[in-house]
Amino acid sequence: QVQLVESGGGLVQAGGSLRLSCAASGRTFSNYDMGWFRQAQGREREFVAAISRSGSSTYYANSVKGRFTISRDNAKNTMYLQMNSLKPEDTAVYYCAARPTVILSTSTKDYDYWGQGTQVTVSS
């Protein structure tokens, strides 16, 4: 079992920045590929970004590419999502997720462990 706890969400104006954190416990963090997903009200959960267990490979949704940066610190068992140039359409609950395999995935079905989510609200 892997326990994941997100933090860092909040209210920010359009154009602003936030950094989300995902703290992991329970199993060896570096054995898991990690991902960020988000779910806006009334919409399905969607992929945002993923990072390999070593941090050497990353992948982004087109909607956030160039604005968001995913990273991880395996020594601290923590993953991050730096979000810049935020837009109102980025408003959602953001979730971190973990999967114990070596292939990055954009599908929610491929992730075994999930955090409880953190709300990000971007005002116009």
Side-chain angles (χ1 to χ4, degrees), residues 19-81:
R19 189 176 82 154
L20 305 183
S21 298
C22 172
S25 62
R27 291 285 181 93
T28 304
F29 181 63
S30 58
N31 286 346
Y32 293 82
D33 289 345
M34 300 292 295
W36 285 101
F37 292 78
R38 66 186 181 187
Q39 188 167 16
Q41 194 168 6
R43 301 185 65 177
E44 292 187 355
R45 194 169 298 188
E46 65 175 10
F47 170 77
V48 175
I51 188 167
S52 62
R53 54 196 60 198
S54 69
S56 61
S57 297
T58 58
Y59 189 74
Y60 296 92
N62 287 335
S63 59
V64 307
K65 199 173 295 182
R67 300 188 298 122
F68 291 10
T69 302
I70 189 171
S71 63
R72 65 191 295 165
D73 185 338
N74 287 345
K76 295 183 178 180
N77 292 343
T78 303
M79 175 180 66
Y80 305 97
L81 185 68

